[in-house]
Amino acid sequence: MNEVELLKIKEKALEEHIPIIMDDTLEVIDNILKELKPKRILEIGTAVGYSAICFTKFLAEDGIIDTIEREHERVIEAKENIKKAEVEDKIHIFEGDAVEILPTFQDKYDVVFIDAAKGKYPFFLSQALRMLEKNGIILADNILYKGYVMSDYNKHKQRTAVTNLRKYIKETTENPLLETKILEVGDGLAISKLK
Ligand code: SAH
Ligand code: MG
């Protein structure tokens, strides 16, 4: 992996206001991945490939990341970035709507990273649970969404997103098969381990 290229990719994404993972969130995930050394990671929401490229550092040998992105322009840029970072053999991009693509997947994953349409988090959770390996972990970024999720303010435009993020938190914390923590890093990170 080419660290200089990685920094350039990050800076360009920030300049273009692409919502890449925040540094403190990434640090928490890095520590989890370091310990887990996953063989297979599934990412929902590639954007320009920044988080996926970062995660490749912690893959087991021959490990693979499958990542889904629906915006064509971003897929093109992600592919260029992945090439620049020299990790083409570790990341497979699937172009299209994750809501349609996920049900066609049959593989098992050690880690599922949810980082796409907030209104779809409960659906992504059900798909993640279907594909999670034993001892697997589901991570969900932006789970506190600028603080809206934990506040009682209900009238903003983002109501569907907030409702579904709350539903995600309820479903993960009440699921007896999962051990879930909600961290206030970045925009909020949910970590759910399969017991
Ligand atoms: N994981 C990236 C950031 C992802 S931003 C990183 O940290 O570097 C969220 C991305 O999810 C956006 O690029 C958006 O186009 C994509 N997205 C949102 N909803 C989606 C869906 N239903 N299917 C596929 N991609 C989706
Ligand atoms: Mg995010």
Side-chain angles (χ1 to χ4, degrees):
M1 132 98 76
N2 189 327
E3 296 283 346
V4 178
E5 285 301 333
L6 185 64
L7 202 63
K8 283 192 207 158
I9 291 163
K10 177 182 170 182
E11 277 166 8
K12 182 161 185 273
L14 290 173
E15 267 167 35
E16 291 172 2
H17 304 289
I18 291 163
I20 58 169
I21 193 161
M22 292 169 83
D23 288 340
D24 52 351
T25 311
L26 184 61
E27 205 179 308
V28 172
I29 297 179
D30 281 358
N31 285 323
I32 293 171
L33 298 182
K34 241 178 242 170
E35 198 174 312
L36 206 68
K37 296 191 185 66
K39 271 199 165 63
R40 301 291 306 268
I41 298 178
L42 171 61
E43 176 180 73
I44 308 170
T46 318
V48 294
Y50 176 70
S51 53
I53 293 168
C54 292
F55 298 162
T56 59
K57 258 187 267 183
F58 306 105
L59 283 172
E61 221 182 45
D62 301 325
I64 291 284
I65 301 175
D66 289 334
T67 181
I68 307 174
E69 173 58 50
R70 69 179 169 193
E71 277 189 38
H72 183 64
E73 295 304 313
R74 290 196 174 168
V75 170
I76 302 279
E77 196 169 337
K79 285 185 178 162
E80 285 168 12
N81 288 338
I82 288 162
K83 198 164 177 223
K84 281 185 205 152
E86 299 164 352
V87 288
E88 301 110 295
D89 52 337
K90 294 180 186 335
I91 302 175
H92 294 163
I93 303 186
F94 294 79
E95 182 173 347
D97 190 333
V99 173
E100 284 159 26
I101 291 178
L102 286 169
T104 70
F105 282 9
Q106 298 303 333
D107 290 352
K108 293 274 181 190
Y109 294 93
D110 306 299
V111 176
V112 179
F113 178 52
I114 301 172
D115 194 16
K118 298 174 185 73
K120 297 288 170 1
Y121 271 35
F123 176 75
F124 296 153
L125 174 65
S126 67
Q127 291 296 308
L129 286 169
R130 178 177 69 78
M131 291 186 277
L132 203 61
E133 281 281 11
K134 254 203 242 160
N135 307 317
I137 296 185
I138 304 171
L139 304 164
D141 192 27
N142 309 96
I143 199 69
L144 297 176
Y145 196 17
K146 301 176 181 168
Y148 297 150
V149 170
M150 292 300 183
S151 78
D152 52 12
Y153 186 60
N154 244 325
K155 283 187 184 150
H156 45 74
K157 294 195 292 210
Q158 324 298 355
R159 197 161 38 219
T160 306
V162 171
T163 303
N164 282 292
L165 293 170
R166 285 182 184 146
K167 193 168 169 215
Y168 181 97
I169 293 173
K170 187 167 155 53
E171 285 179 7
T172 49
T173 50
E174 289 179 0
N175 186 330
L177 300 174
L178 297 176
E179 197 184 301
T180 296
K181 281 189 235 164
I182 309 291
L183 304 188
E184 286 181 32
V185 288
D187 197 26
L189 178 70
I191 305 172
S192 303
K193 285 186 197 176
L194 204 54
K195 280 188 202 162

